[in-house]
Amino acid sequence: MLKNIYVTPLNLLKSATSLQLQVRTTFVLKRKYDPPLHKTNEKPRRMRAKNFIYELVEDTLVKKRPNMEVVLKTFVEGVGDKGDVVSMKPHFVYNKLLLPGLAAYKTPENVAKYAKTEAERSAVKHSSAYAQRTVNMLESIVLAVVMNKDEPWELEPWHIKASLRKAGFHCREECIALPKERIVGPDLKKENKDFYCTVTINKLERARLKCRLHHWSTDPSERLPYVLEHWKLQSEPLLDVSAPEKSA
């Protein structure tokens, strides 16, 4: 009965597919103890175990790679404008600039090819590489504008300037444009309501800043309850959204 059983030969070596990858691992070593010397034309002296102890000098696998220089083909936020030669880390250059086709390797031909023309230089679209990033940050927050609950006031650009400074932004008063309609107080009906103002960056880019009005009293007994994370709560508009704005 055993003779009738067919045994299939197993050829694992031929059926298995092997994947070979090149690994660049170079270690620079030096001997901790110098080997013994010998005279010319004499048999070298036998080394001891301590002569085979090495110290690591450099591991090329973890060695920091130098920056790469590329030429930008177009404007890249946070990096530069068209024709700029930038030097950045290789990982960022490969994944964010070269692969998407936003930059090319720095060569004399590419520098001349992607240089700005006279028409492109005259038509300025971006004041700096980081201006649009600042616009995005300003438009993503809800600015808390804290006003006095006891004394009469009228909203002015310096109130927005002070509120921006508390939020980590430094801005001049002449760069802030308030709504055309006057905002006066104190008025508890305006508590926790939104209005918009415009912040001009480098006299070119404009950010539409969302502000939320809050009242504050120096008397602890007159203070309103503190609202935790007010920017996550829904609120009503204080003014007509379509109303134009006035400059400072």
Side-chain angles (χ1 to χ4, degrees), residues 39 46 76 122 138-139 181 183 185 193 201 247:
K39 296 182 180 180
R46 185 176 180 180
V76 181
S122 59
L138 288 174
E139 292 183 347
E181 184 178 348
I183 301 177
K193 290 188 177 182
I201 302 170
S247 57

Side-chain angles (χ1 to χ4, degrees), residues 31-223:
R31 295 183 186 273
K32 187 174 183 179
Y33 304 98
D34 296 332
L37 303 178
H38 61 278
K39 296 182 180 180
T40 308
N41 299 328
E42 287 188 1
K43 184 178 180 180
R45 299 173 59 181
R46 185 176 180 180
M47 292 189 295
R48 299 182 179 181
K50 69 176 184 178
N51 299 125
F52 294 96
I53 301 177
Y54 300 92
E55 292 180 347
L56 179 63
V57 177
E58 181 182 359
D59 183 4
T60 58
L61 187 62
V62 297
K63 182 181 178 181
K64 185 178 180 180
R65 299 167 61 185
N67 289 356
M68 292 181 58
E69 290 187 342
V70 292
V71 185
L72 297 180
K73 298 181 181 180
T74 182
F75 174 79
V76 181
E77 179 183 339
V79 179
D81 205 352
K82 178 184 177 182
D84 293 347
V85 178
V86 296
S87 176
M88 310 195 75
K89 295 182 179 180
H91 180 78
F92 180 85
V93 171
Y94 283 128
N95 294 281
K96 302 297 183 180
L97 299 180
L98 292 178
L99 291 181
L102 302 177
Y105 289 100
K106 180 191 174 184
T107 60
E109 295 78 10
N110 287 337
V111 173
K113 180 179 179 181
Y114 298 108
K116 279 187 175 182
T117 61
E118 294 296 334
E120 291 175 340
R121 292 177 181 175
S122 59
V124 180
K125 297 182 180 180
H126 305 279
S127 60
S128 70
Y130 301 96
Q132 186 60 39
R133 182 179 296 181
T134 306
V135 171
N136 297 339
M137 293 180 64
L138 288 174
E139 292 183 347
S140 65
I141 66 173
V142 179
L143 184 67
V145 181
V146 182
M147 305 301 293
N148 199 312
K149 183 176 175 291
D150 304 324
E151 300 294 334
W153 50 263
E154 179 180 353
L155 189 67
E156 298 181 6
W158 70 268
H159 292 111
I160 306 298
K161 175 185 176 181
S163 301
L164 284 172
R165 186 173 64 247
K166 291 194 295 183
F169 299 91
H170 294 270
C171 179
R172 297 181 179 178
E173 294 185 26
E174 54 267 22
C175 300
I176 301 172
L178 296 178
K180 186 176 181 180
E181 184 178 348
R182 296 171 61 248
I183 301 177
V184 295
D187 187 357
L188 295 183
K189 295 181 180 180
K190 301 177 181 179
E191 174 67 21
N192 203 30
K193 290 188 177 182
D194 298 340
F195 64 94
Y196 287 88
C197 62
T198 302
V199 179
T200 305
I201 302 170
N202 298 334
K203 300 181 180 180
L204 185 62
E205 289 87 358
R206 292 188 176 184
R208 195 163 182 261
L209 179 61
K210 184 178 182 180
C211 305
R212 186 164 295 178
L213 195 62
H214 298 282
H215 290 81
W216 178 262
S217 175
T218 55
D219 187 1
S221 61
E222 297 294 333
R223 292 176 186 174

